[in-house]
Amino acid sequence: MLDQSPHFDLQAAEELARRHFGVEGRARELTSERDQNFLIESPTRRIVLKIANAGEDPEFLRAQQTAMRHVAERYSMTPKVLTTTTSESIVSVDGSDGKRHLAWAVSWIPGKPLAMVAHRSVDLLQDLGEQAGALSATLSGFDAPAIHRDFYWDLANGRSIVERYRSLIGDEAVRRSLDVLIERFDACTARLLPRLPTAAVHNDLNDYNMLVGGLDGDVERRDQTVAGIVDFGDIVYSFRIGDLAIAIAYAMLGSDDPLSVARAMVRGYRGRVQPTEQEIGALFGLVVLRLCMSVCVAAEQTRQRPDNEYLSVSQSAIATTLPLLEAIPFGLAECAFREAAGFPAVATRARVVDYLERTTPHPVLEIDPQTAPTIVLDLSIASPLLDGDASQNDEPPLTTRIFAVMTEAGVELAIGRYDEARLLYVSPAFATGPRPADEYRTIHIGLDLFAVAGTACFAPLDGTVYAFADNASFQDYGPVIVLRHTTESGIPFFTLYAHLSRESLSGLVIGQTVKAGQQIATLGHASVNGGWTPHLHLQIIIDDLGLATDFPGVARPSQRELWCAVCPDPNLIARVPGDRFPASEPTATETLAARKAVIGGNLSVAYREPVKVVRGWKQYLYDDEGRRYIDAYNNVPHVGHCHPRVVEAAHRQMQVLSTNTRYLNDLLSEYAERLLATLPSSLNVCYFVNSASEANELALRLTRAHTGARDMIVLDAAYHGITTSLIDLSPYKHAGPGGGGAPDWVHVAPLPDVYRGQYRADDSAAGEKYAAGVSAIVDRIANGGRSLGGFIAETCPSVGGQLILPPGYLENAY
């Protein structure tokens, strides 16, 4: 990698653009690894001047230009090669380093690099994949001898590049992650490479070469569509799927869920190119390889050129992403990509499920769930069996509650559902990242059979012992056994048995034969089984993904269908009668459709992707899959959602009486006396109402009764309620979409906004100045021969921007 980079300054670039391309403008240097690129801007035109490094092969440069022309004729998002004033496409220029360099120019494409866009919607990610596919489809018809080259950025050379420069990586943690990932690449991906289709590929769809833009008037979609693809300087004949792999590698940087990023892009790519199963099988490994190559090449080139910032531009993001990729089994990524590409997520799943449906398994417990009386427990996010306080769902409280329910139902066996989102898994042990906002693994992908500790467990099918361990960490499996089975045609699959007694592991040997009906374990106490209510966690696994006894029993919601594809319903073995299970809860999409059918459309739903909220606790709200949100929006539960004292007080009262105020009851006056004791003595009478709208309606009636006047002053952007009169008093409503405007008795005063308004927070008289607007309205009403009824303002204008009123405003207004 001998450095032969050009070193032209801005003045020299401007002179080259003027002399050779007839563009007289200002130059600005753009980022580049080994060449120099300048944006030349004149009042009427923009071009990109490109100066190649001195070692560039002229034949390759001509091939690059030919490829760009080939693409530009068929695809609208790439630059066009420009010619000089003498109709040449390349000129030779002398550099200040005494070397000759080749210079040329391309058209400028508006947009910003993907690297500068923090929020990347699913639509944008799919578009990135689709445009990578469109470019691949276009390049598949191009070839030239010069692109069949030995190039260090070629993914086909990636493994040797890593081997050559790995030792130069100074960050020990990065080097460790790289070693783990490359070992998995060697085991899972290397064998597939000889079977991959090859073609001409752009080979550098990084987040600086993918430009994005959008509709300027649409804030939500701004920068959420692909605007262009630039820089064909790394074009090479290599693996066809390489362009998608490289685009994914850089698009996932900065994401805490890189697999979801990649899935969306594969889905988009498939819209233009149908990848083969071998390409999908190799894709994740190639994504990993590209990032590992980047780390190694950066280490080598930084050693040669420590002053080149471009070489390290992505390295901190890559260092953060590599550990996240370590946490993704290559096999799971393949399942995700297969599903996104239109293949079954797990190739053998249908045949294994068919085999199990035709098989008569032996009961897995001595209490046969097929025939014994059972109940199905609700352990979902909204379950009343569980407490919003996660600490109350540990042992022993949870066992006490579950076995009390079983005793009341008169059963010795209870069932915990498969594919159930559970509140049990919102502790740190199930977090998927370091931040509180990261997803928890809340989706249960096994079947639970609750019975007393010591209950015998049997192998349902013939098999062999595949793995066993004591996963003794709190909220882990405890003692766990994995058996390996095969269908009659030899397709392997696995069953997992967790939360066992320690005695269950005695005498086990990997590979030993197990017959259907043979006792393999007993259920463990909470003290040994990971800290859970005694039960068997039963799981079917089509592909163990190399995880053995570390195979998870719960999954993150964003990967729900993937893990369920790998782990089909264990009731294929347990055979609990289907009529004992309740109907599935509606999905958020189904709930939204039902709401639209029966609820008035003017009751809007928040957010582009509506949140289905099923539980609240303290400052949090939980959706139906267990995602946790901080509630900084709702204006009712000031003491937090489901406050235990409030819930208990309401429960006690509802057991006794719930009626209206027309009857005598001591609680009414006692509550009023306690409330009034907290208020100024001039406020000495209470009215109790059911809502803020009802309170404001009553205030309006009292005002008019007292003053005999109808006119009211309100603040701009105010929202006071949903009744007819309060809509009239709410500019947010009457001046908004569908509003009819303010009636003649409503007068709107300026919003006292010291952040965006006329008078700012650093003006000590801002409150008095804003109040002058109220004074002017009072005068105008009086001059019109009418009287003012009152003035109404939110303590903290909410819709207006959560504003704090400036000091002195209310005093002067009143």
Side-chain angles (χ1 to χ4, degrees), residues 255-258 323-324 327-328 425-443 554-559 563:
S255 171
D256 62 356
D257 187 6
L324 298 179
I328 302 173
Y425 310 127
V426 294
S427 66
F430 300 97
T432 59
R435 299 181 299 239
D438 290 329
E439 265 188 325
Y440 287 84
R441 294 182 295 119
T442 58
I443 309 301
V554 287
R556 57 195 297 176
S558 62
Q559 298 173 359
W563 287 103

PDB file of all heavy atoms in Angstrom, residues 255-258 323-324 327-328 425-443 554-559 563:
ATOM      1  N   SER A 255     -26.289   1.785  15.013  1.00  0.00           N
ATOM      2  CA  SER A 255     -27.569   1.192  15.394  1.00  0.00           C
ATOM      3  C   SER A 255     -27.366   0.216  16.546  1.00  0.00           C
ATOM      4  O   SER A 255     -26.378  -0.523  16.577  1.00  0.00           O
ATOM      5  CB  SER A 255     -28.190   0.459  14.205  1.00  0.00           C
ATOM      6  OG  SER A 255     -29.325  -0.296  14.618  1.00  0.00           O
ATOM      7  N   ASP A 256     -28.317   0.205  17.504  1.00  0.00           N
ATOM      8  CA  ASP A 256     -28.243  -0.782  18.573  1.00  0.00           C
ATOM      9  C   ASP A 256     -28.931  -2.083  18.167  1.00  0.00           C
ATOM     10  O   ASP A 256     -28.956  -3.037  18.934  1.00  0.00           O
ATOM     11  CB  ASP A 256     -28.849  -0.236  19.869  1.00  0.00           C
ATOM     12  CG  ASP A 256     -30.317   0.107  19.727  1.00  0.00           C
ATOM     13  OD1 ASP A 256     -30.849  -0.016  18.599  1.00  0.00           O
ATOM     14  OD2 ASP A 256     -30.940   0.504  20.726  1.00  0.00           O
ATOM     15  N   ASP A 257     -29.473  -2.130  16.954  1.00  0.00           N
ATOM     16  CA  ASP A 257     -30.127  -3.340  16.448  1.00  0.00           C
ATOM     17  C   ASP A 257     -29.683  -3.567  15.002  1.00  0.00           C
ATOM     18  O   ASP A 257     -30.452  -3.404  14.062  1.00  0.00           O
ATOM     19  CB  ASP A 257     -31.650  -3.187  16.531  1.00  0.00           C
ATOM     20  CG  ASP A 257     -32.391  -4.469  16.181  1.00  0.00           C
ATOM     21  OD1 ASP A 257     -31.722  -5.508  15.976  1.00  0.00           O
ATOM     22  OD2 ASP A 257     -33.635  -4.435  16.096  1.00  0.00           O
ATOM     23  N   PRO A 258     -28.403  -3.923  14.811  1.00  0.00           N
ATOM     24  CA  PRO A 258     -27.887  -4.038  13.444  1.00  0.00           C
ATOM     25  C   PRO A 258     -28.604  -5.083  12.601  1.00  0.00           C
ATOM     26  O   PRO A 258     -28.688  -4.938  11.383  1.00  0.00           O
ATOM     27  CB  PRO A 258     -26.415  -4.405  13.650  1.00  0.00           C
ATOM     28  CG  PRO A 258     -26.295  -4.884  15.056  1.00  0.00           C
ATOM     29  CD  PRO A 258     -27.360  -4.186  15.827  1.00  0.00           C
ATOM     30  N   PRO A 323     -18.894  -5.571  18.873  1.00  0.00           N
ATOM     31  CA  PRO A 323     -19.447  -6.386  19.968  1.00  0.00           C
ATOM     32  C   PRO A 323     -20.928  -6.720  19.765  1.00  0.00           C
ATOM     33  O   PRO A 323     -21.381  -7.795  20.192  1.00  0.00           O
ATOM     34  CB  PRO A 323     -19.241  -5.499  21.205  1.00  0.00           C
ATOM     35  CG  PRO A 323     -18.132  -4.578  20.847  1.00  0.00           C
ATOM     36  CD  PRO A 323     -18.297  -4.317  19.383  1.00  0.00           C
ATOM     37  N   LEU A 324     -21.679  -5.822  19.139  1.00  0.00           N
ATOM     38  CA  LEU A 324     -23.084  -6.127  18.858  1.00  0.00           C
ATOM     39  C   LEU A 324     -23.199  -7.268  17.854  1.00  0.00           C
ATOM     40  O   LEU A 324     -24.090  -8.119  17.961  1.00  0.00           O
ATOM     41  CB  LEU A 324     -23.796  -4.881  18.317  1.00  0.00           C
ATOM     42  CG  LEU A 324     -23.858  -3.666  19.249  1.00  0.00           C
ATOM     43  CD1 LEU A 324     -24.585  -2.508  18.556  1.00  0.00           C
ATOM     44  CD2 LEU A 324     -24.576  -4.019  20.549  1.00  0.00           C
ATOM     45  N   ALA A 327     -22.820 -10.684  19.323  1.00  0.00           N
ATOM     46  CA  ALA A 327     -23.995 -11.211  20.022  1.00  0.00           C
ATOM     47  C   ALA A 327     -25.007 -11.823  19.068  1.00  0.00           C
ATOM     48  O   ALA A 327     -26.020 -12.368  19.520  1.00  0.00           O
ATOM     49  CB  ALA A 327     -24.654 -10.089  20.828  1.00  0.00           C
ATOM     50  N   ILE A 328     -24.771 -11.740  17.765  1.00  0.00           N
ATOM     51  CA  ILE A 328     -25.705 -12.280  16.769  1.00  0.00           C
ATOM     52  C   ILE A 328     -25.135 -13.575  16.207  1.00  0.00           C
ATOM     53  O   ILE A 328     -24.105 -13.557  15.519  1.00  0.00           O
ATOM     54  CB  ILE A 328     -25.943 -11.277  15.627  1.00  0.00           C
ATOM     55  CG1 ILE A 328     -26.491  -9.959  16.171  1.00  0.00           C
ATOM     56  CG2 ILE A 328     -26.907 -11.867  14.586  1.00  0.00           C
ATOM     57  CD1 ILE A 328     -26.584  -8.866  15.131  1.00  0.00           C
ATOM     58  N   TYR A 425     -39.689 -10.590  32.185  1.00  0.00           N
ATOM     59  CA  TYR A 425     -38.353 -10.465  31.613  1.00  0.00           C
ATOM     60  C   TYR A 425     -37.964  -9.008  31.353  1.00  0.00           C
ATOM     61  O   TYR A 425     -37.432  -8.682  30.299  1.00  0.00           O
ATOM     62  CB  TYR A 425     -38.270 -11.271  30.320  1.00  0.00           C
ATOM     63  CG  TYR A 425     -38.776 -12.690  30.454  1.00  0.00           C
ATOM     64  CD1 TYR A 425     -39.750 -13.195  29.589  1.00  0.00           C
ATOM     65  CD2 TYR A 425     -38.293 -13.529  31.451  1.00  0.00           C
ATOM     66  CE1 TYR A 425     -40.224 -14.488  29.716  1.00  0.00           C
ATOM     67  CE2 TYR A 425     -38.758 -14.825  31.585  1.00  0.00           C
ATOM     68  CZ  TYR A 425     -39.730 -15.303  30.711  1.00  0.00           C
ATOM     69  OH  TYR A 425     -40.200 -16.580  30.843  1.00  0.00           O
ATOM     70  N   VAL A 426     -38.267  -8.144  32.303  1.00  0.00           N
ATOM     71  CA  VAL A 426     -37.897  -6.732  32.140  1.00  0.00           C
ATOM     72  C   VAL A 426     -36.839  -6.326  33.166  1.00  0.00           C
ATOM     73  O   VAL A 426     -36.708  -5.162  33.505  1.00  0.00           O
ATOM     74  CB  VAL A 426     -39.139  -5.810  32.232  1.00  0.00           C
ATOM     75  CG1 VAL A 426     -40.070  -6.054  31.070  1.00  0.00           C
ATOM     76  CG2 VAL A 426     -39.871  -5.999  33.561  1.00  0.00           C
ATOM     77  N   SER A 427     -36.084  -7.296  33.643  1.00  0.00           N
ATOM     78  CA  SER A 427     -34.967  -7.017  34.548  1.00  0.00           C
ATOM     79  C   SER A 427     -33.682  -6.916  33.718  1.00  0.00           C
ATOM     80  O   SER A 427     -33.654  -7.302  32.542  1.00  0.00           O
ATOM     81  CB  SER A 427     -34.842  -8.136  35.578  1.00  0.00           C
ATOM     82  OG  SER A 427     -34.468  -9.340  34.939  1.00  0.00           O
ATOM     83  N   PRO A 428     -32.591  -6.396  34.311  1.00  0.00           N
ATOM     84  CA  PRO A 428     -31.342  -6.239  33.546  1.00  0.00           C
ATOM     85  C   PRO A 428     -30.829  -7.523  32.908  1.00  0.00           C
ATOM     86  O   PRO A 428     -30.137  -7.467  31.895  1.00  0.00           O
ATOM     87  CB  PRO A 428     -30.361  -5.711  34.604  1.00  0.00           C
ATOM     88  CG  PRO A 428     -31.232  -4.975  35.579  1.00  0.00           C
ATOM     89  CD  PRO A 428     -32.507  -5.773  35.650  1.00  0.00           C
ATOM     90  N   ALA A 429     -31.154  -8.677  33.479  1.00  0.00           N
ATOM     91  CA  ALA A 429     -30.673  -9.937  32.910  1.00  0.00           C
ATOM     92  C   ALA A 429     -31.178 -10.165  31.496  1.00  0.00           C
ATOM     93  O   ALA A 429     -30.587 -10.939  30.734  1.00  0.00           O
ATOM     94  CB  ALA A 429     -31.100 -11.109  33.807  1.00  0.00           C
ATOM     95  N   PHE A 430     -32.265  -9.490  31.126  1.00  0.00           N
ATOM     96  CA  PHE A 430     -32.866  -9.715  29.814  1.00  0.00           C
ATOM     97  C   PHE A 430     -32.747  -8.507  28.897  1.00  0.00           C
ATOM     98  O   PHE A 430     -33.356  -8.467  27.834  1.00  0.00           O
ATOM     99  CB  PHE A 430     -34.334 -10.113  29.978  1.00  0.00           C
ATOM    100  CG  PHE A 430     -34.518 -11.363  30.787  1.00  0.00           C
ATOM    101  CD1 PHE A 430     -34.816 -11.288  32.136  1.00  0.00           C
ATOM    102  CD2 PHE A 430     -34.329 -12.605  30.208  1.00  0.00           C
ATOM    103  CE1 PHE A 430     -34.944 -12.437  32.897  1.00  0.00           C
ATOM    104  CE2 PHE A 430     -34.461 -13.760  30.961  1.00  0.00           C
ATOM    105  CZ  PHE A 430     -34.769 -13.682  32.312  1.00  0.00           C
ATOM    106  N   ALA A 431     -31.959  -7.521  29.307  1.00  0.00           N
ATOM    107  CA  ALA A 431     -31.720  -6.352  28.461  1.00  0.00           C
ATOM    108  C   ALA A 431     -30.840  -6.765  27.283  1.00  0.00           C
ATOM    109  O   ALA A 431     -30.003  -7.658  27.382  1.00  0.00           O
ATOM    110  CB  ALA A 431     -31.063  -5.235  29.255  1.00  0.00           C
ATOM    111  N   THR A 432     -31.030  -6.099  26.160  1.00  0.00           N
ATOM    112  CA  THR A 432     -30.254  -6.426  24.957  1.00  0.00           C
ATOM    113  C   THR A 432     -29.168  -5.406  24.689  1.00  0.00           C
ATOM    114  O   THR A 432     -28.469  -5.494  23.694  1.00  0.00           O
ATOM    115  CB  THR A 432     -31.168  -6.520  23.729  1.00  0.00           C
ATOM    116  OG1 THR A 432     -31.845  -5.260  23.559  1.00  0.00           O
ATOM    117  CG2 THR A 432     -32.198  -7.619  23.909  1.00  0.00           C
ATOM    118  N   GLY A 433     -29.051  -4.400  25.553  1.00  0.00           N
ATOM    119  CA  GLY A 433     -28.027  -3.377  25.372  1.00  0.00           C
ATOM    120  C   GLY A 433     -27.783  -2.658  26.673  1.00  0.00           C
ATOM    121  O   GLY A 433     -28.458  -2.900  27.677  1.00  0.00           O
ATOM    122  N   PRO A 434     -26.836  -1.729  26.670  1.00  0.00           N
ATOM    123  CA  PRO A 434     -26.447  -1.072  27.916  1.00  0.00           C
ATOM    124  C   PRO A 434     -27.373   0.034  28.373  1.00  0.00           C
ATOM    125  O   PRO A 434     -27.265   0.503  29.494  1.00  0.00           O
ATOM    126  CB  PRO A 434     -25.060  -0.499  27.566  1.00  0.00           C
ATOM    127  CG  PRO A 434     -25.126  -0.253  26.088  1.00  0.00           C
ATOM    128  CD  PRO A 434     -25.981  -1.358  25.536  1.00  0.00           C
ATOM    129  N   ARG A 435     -28.302   0.484  27.510  1.00  0.00           N
ATOM    130  CA  ARG A 435     -29.139   1.628  27.859  1.00  0.00           C
ATOM    131  C   ARG A 435     -30.498   1.161  28.345  1.00  0.00           C
ATOM    132  O   ARG A 435     -31.026   0.145  27.863  1.00  0.00           O
ATOM    133  CB  ARG A 435     -29.313   2.540  26.641  1.00  0.00           C
ATOM    134  CG  ARG A 435     -28.007   3.118  26.127  1.00  0.00           C
ATOM    135  CD  ARG A 435     -28.264   4.026  24.945  1.00  0.00           C
ATOM    136  NE  ARG A 435     -28.879   3.303  23.851  1.00  0.00           N
ATOM    137  CZ  ARG A 435     -28.344   3.215  22.636  1.00  0.00           C
ATOM    138  NH1 ARG A 435     -27.214   3.791  22.374  1.00  0.00           N
ATOM    139  NH2 ARG A 435     -28.951   2.540  21.690  1.00  0.00           N
ATOM    140  N   PRO A 436     -31.140   1.903  29.253  1.00  0.00           N
ATOM    141  CA  PRO A 436     -32.465   1.520  29.745  1.00  0.00           C
ATOM    142  C   PRO A 436     -33.502   1.433  28.635  1.00  0.00           C
ATOM    143  O   PRO A 436     -34.477   0.701  28.755  1.00  0.00           O
ATOM    144  CB  PRO A 436     -32.805   2.640  30.743  1.00  0.00           C
ATOM    145  CG  PRO A 436     -31.493   3.201  31.152  1.00  0.00           C
ATOM    146  CD  PRO A 436     -30.600   3.074  29.962  1.00  0.00           C
ATOM    147  N   ALA A 437     -33.301   2.213  27.558  1.00  0.00           N
ATOM    148  CA  ALA A 437     -34.296   2.226  26.481  1.00  0.00           C
ATOM    149  C   ALA A 437     -34.160   1.040  25.532  1.00  0.00           C
ATOM    150  O   ALA A 437     -35.002   0.852  24.654  1.00  0.00           O
ATOM    151  CB  ALA A 437     -34.180   3.537  25.684  1.00  0.00           C
ATOM    152  N   ASP A 438     -33.079   0.263  25.662  1.00  0.00           N
ATOM    153  CA  ASP A 438     -32.894  -0.870  24.762  1.00  0.00           C
ATOM    154  C   ASP A 438     -33.980  -1.922  25.000  1.00  0.00           C
ATOM    155  O   ASP A 438     -34.556  -2.026  26.080  1.00  0.00           O
ATOM    156  CB  ASP A 438     -31.513  -1.493  24.972  1.00  0.00           C
ATOM    157  CG  ASP A 438     -30.397  -0.589  24.488  1.00  0.00           C
ATOM    158  OD1 ASP A 438     -30.632   0.167  23.537  1.00  0.00           O
ATOM    159  OD2 ASP A 438     -29.298  -0.627  25.066  1.00  0.00           O
ATOM    160  N   GLU A 439     -34.216  -2.722  23.961  1.00  0.00           N
ATOM    161  CA  GLU A 439     -35.232  -3.775  24.060  1.00  0.00           C
ATOM    162  C   GLU A 439     -34.863  -4.811  25.116  1.00  0.00           C
ATOM    163  O   GLU A 439     -33.687  -5.128  25.316  1.00  0.00           O
ATOM    164  CB  GLU A 439     -35.333  -4.503  22.711  1.00  0.00           C
ATOM    165  CG  GLU A 439     -36.411  -3.994  21.811  1.00  0.00           C
ATOM    166  CD  GLU A 439     -36.564  -4.895  20.597  1.00  0.00           C
ATOM    167  OE1 GLU A 439     -35.558  -5.442  20.115  1.00  0.00           O
ATOM    168  OE2 GLU A 439     -37.678  -5.040  20.130  1.00  0.00           O
ATOM    169  N   TYR A 440     -35.895  -5.346  25.750  1.00  0.00           N
ATOM    170  CA  TYR A 440     -35.720  -6.513  26.613  1.00  0.00           C
ATOM    171  C   TYR A 440     -36.167  -7.756  25.852  1.00  0.00           C
ATOM    172  O   TYR A 440     -37.027  -7.688  24.967  1.00  0.00           O
ATOM    173  CB  TYR A 440     -36.536  -6.356  27.893  1.00  0.00           C
ATOM    174  CG  TYR A 440     -35.967  -5.336  28.855  1.00  0.00           C
ATOM    175  CD1 TYR A 440     -36.247  -3.985  28.704  1.00  0.00           C
ATOM    176  CD2 TYR A 440     -35.134  -5.726  29.890  1.00  0.00           C
ATOM    177  CE1 TYR A 440     -35.708  -3.045  29.570  1.00  0.00           C
ATOM    178  CE2 TYR A 440     -34.595  -4.796  30.771  1.00  0.00           C
ATOM    179  CZ  TYR A 440     -34.890  -3.456  30.604  1.00  0.00           C
ATOM    180  OH  TYR A 440     -34.349  -2.523  31.451  1.00  0.00           O
ATOM    181  N   ARG A 441     -35.589  -8.888  26.217  1.00  0.00           N
ATOM    182  CA  ARG A 441     -35.988 -10.154  25.583  1.00  0.00           C
ATOM    183  C   ARG A 441     -37.244 -10.664  26.297  1.00  0.00           C
ATOM    184  O   ARG A 441     -37.168 -11.473  27.211  1.00  0.00           O
ATOM    185  CB  ARG A 441     -34.837 -11.160  25.662  1.00  0.00           C
ATOM    186  CG  ARG A 441     -33.633 -10.746  24.837  1.00  0.00           C
ATOM    187  CD  ARG A 441     -32.497 -11.763  24.869  1.00  0.00           C
ATOM    188  NE  ARG A 441     -31.925 -11.913  26.202  1.00  0.00           N
ATOM    189  CZ  ARG A 441     -31.904 -13.033  26.893  1.00  0.00           C
ATOM    190  NH1 ARG A 441     -32.463 -14.139  26.391  1.00  0.00           N
ATOM    191  NH2 ARG A 441     -31.368 -13.082  28.090  1.00  0.00           N
ATOM    192  N   THR A 442     -38.381 -10.192  25.867  1.00  0.00           N
ATOM    193  CA  THR A 442     -39.638 -10.453  26.569  1.00  0.00           C
ATOM    194  C   THR A 442     -40.465 -11.583  25.963  1.00  0.00           C
ATOM    195  O   THR A 442     -41.438 -12.006  26.579  1.00  0.00           O
ATOM    196  CB  THR A 442     -40.512  -9.184  26.559  1.00  0.00           C
ATOM    197  OG1 THR A 442     -40.747  -8.787  25.201  1.00  0.00           O
ATOM    198  CG2 THR A 442     -39.841  -8.043  27.306  1.00  0.00           C
ATOM    199  N   ILE A 443     -40.112 -12.075  24.781  1.00  0.00           N
ATOM    200  CA  ILE A 443     -40.944 -13.059  24.080  1.00  0.00           C
ATOM    201  C   ILE A 443     -40.523 -14.474  24.457  1.00  0.00           C
ATOM    202  O   ILE A 443     -39.401 -14.910  24.177  1.00  0.00           O
ATOM    203  CB  ILE A 443     -40.865 -12.874  22.555  1.00  0.00           C
ATOM    204  CG1 ILE A 443     -41.129 -11.417  22.166  1.00  0.00           C
ATOM    205  CG2 ILE A 443     -41.855 -13.814  21.872  1.00  0.00           C
ATOM    206  CD1 ILE A 443     -42.472 -10.884  22.597  1.00  0.00           C
ATOM    207  N   VAL A 554     -35.938 -16.872  25.562  1.00  0.00           N
ATOM    208  CA  VAL A 554     -36.754 -15.686  25.316  1.00  0.00           C
ATOM    209  C   VAL A 554     -36.056 -14.848  24.256  1.00  0.00           C
ATOM    210  O   VAL A 554     -34.834 -14.894  24.103  1.00  0.00           O
ATOM    211  CB  VAL A 554     -36.977 -14.859  26.602  1.00  0.00           C
ATOM    212  CG1 VAL A 554     -37.943 -15.555  27.523  1.00  0.00           C
ATOM    213  CG2 VAL A 554     -35.668 -14.575  27.314  1.00  0.00           C
ATOM    214  N   ALA A 555     -36.842 -14.054  23.513  1.00  0.00           N
ATOM    215  CA  ALA A 555     -36.313 -13.305  22.378  1.00  0.00           C
ATOM    216  C   ALA A 555     -36.767 -11.859  22.441  1.00  0.00           C
ATOM    217  O   ALA A 555     -37.782 -11.540  23.073  1.00  0.00           O
ATOM    218  CB  ALA A 555     -36.770 -13.943  21.067  1.00  0.00           C
ATOM    219  N   ARG A 556     -36.031 -10.985  21.773  1.00  0.00           N
ATOM    220  CA  ARG A 556     -36.430  -9.589  21.704  1.00  0.00           C
ATOM    221  C   ARG A 556     -37.593  -9.443  20.714  1.00  0.00           C
ATOM    222  O   ARG A 556     -37.654 -10.173  19.702  1.00  0.00           O
ATOM    223  CB  ARG A 556     -35.252  -8.690  21.331  1.00  0.00           C
ATOM    224  CG  ARG A 556     -34.574  -9.022  20.040  1.00  0.00           C
ATOM    225  CD  ARG A 556     -33.205  -8.342  19.920  1.00  0.00           C
ATOM    226  NE  ARG A 556     -33.299  -6.886  19.909  1.00  0.00           N
ATOM    227  CZ  ARG A 556     -32.244  -6.080  19.899  1.00  0.00           C
ATOM    228  NH1 ARG A 556     -31.017  -6.592  19.919  1.00  0.00           N
ATOM    229  NH2 ARG A 556     -32.382  -4.775  19.877  1.00  0.00           N
ATOM    230  N   PRO A 557     -38.518  -8.539  20.970  1.00  0.00           N
ATOM    231  CA  PRO A 557     -39.698  -8.406  20.109  1.00  0.00           C
ATOM    232  C   PRO A 557     -39.374  -8.176  18.637  1.00  0.00           C
ATOM    233  O   PRO A 557     -40.071  -8.696  17.757  1.00  0.00           O
ATOM    234  CB  PRO A 557     -40.437  -7.209  20.710  1.00  0.00           C
ATOM    235  CG  PRO A 557     -40.046  -7.210  22.148  1.00  0.00           C
ATOM    236  CD  PRO A 557     -38.614  -7.664  22.162  1.00  0.00           C
ATOM    237  N   SER A 558     -38.325  -7.408  18.352  1.00  0.00           N
ATOM    238  CA  SER A 558     -37.999  -7.113  16.958  1.00  0.00           C
ATOM    239  C   SER A 558     -37.533  -8.355  16.202  1.00  0.00           C
ATOM    240  O   SER A 558     -37.496  -8.351  14.974  1.00  0.00           O
ATOM    241  CB  SER A 558     -36.923  -6.026  16.884  1.00  0.00           C
ATOM    242  OG  SER A 558     -35.726  -6.455  17.509  1.00  0.00           O
ATOM    243  N   GLN A 559     -37.194  -9.426  16.932  1.00  0.00           N
ATOM    244  CA  GLN A 559     -36.755 -10.669  16.289  1.00  0.00           C
ATOM    245  C   GLN A 559     -37.729 -11.816  16.563  1.00  0.00           C
ATOM    246  O   GLN A 559     -37.389 -12.983  16.396  1.00  0.00           O
ATOM    247  CB  GLN A 559     -35.354 -11.036  16.787  1.00  0.00           C
ATOM    248  CG  GLN A 559     -34.299 -10.005  16.451  1.00  0.00           C
ATOM    249  CD  GLN A 559     -32.950 -10.305  17.087  1.00  0.00           C
ATOM    250  OE1 GLN A 559     -32.785 -11.283  17.809  1.00  0.00           O
ATOM    251  NE2 GLN A 559     -31.968  -9.452  16.826  1.00  0.00           N
ATOM    252  N   TRP A 563     -37.041 -16.063  15.875  1.00  0.00           N
ATOM    253  CA  TRP A 563     -36.822 -17.080  16.895  1.00  0.00           C
ATOM    254  C   TRP A 563     -37.961 -18.091  16.912  1.00  0.00           C
ATOM    255  O   TRP A 563     -37.737 -19.281  17.185  1.00  0.00           O
ATOM    256  CB  TRP A 563     -36.652 -16.431  18.260  1.00  0.00           C
ATOM    257  CG  TRP A 563     -35.333 -15.733  18.409  1.00  0.00           C
ATOM    258  CD1 TRP A 563     -35.095 -14.400  18.346  1.00  0.00           C
ATOM    259  CD2 TRP A 563     -34.057 -16.347  18.617  1.00  0.00           C
ATOM    260  NE1 TRP A 563     -33.758 -14.132  18.509  1.00  0.00           N
ATOM    261  CE2 TRP A 563     -33.090 -15.319  18.682  1.00  0.00           C
ATOM    262  CE3 TRP A 563     -33.634 -17.666  18.767  1.00  0.00           C
ATOM    263  CZ2 TRP A 563     -31.740 -15.563  18.887  1.00  0.00           C
ATOM    264  CZ3 TRP A 563     -32.281 -17.915  18.972  1.00  0.00           C
ATOM    265  CH2 TRP A 563     -31.355 -16.875  19.029  1.00  0.00           C
TER     266      TRP A 563
END
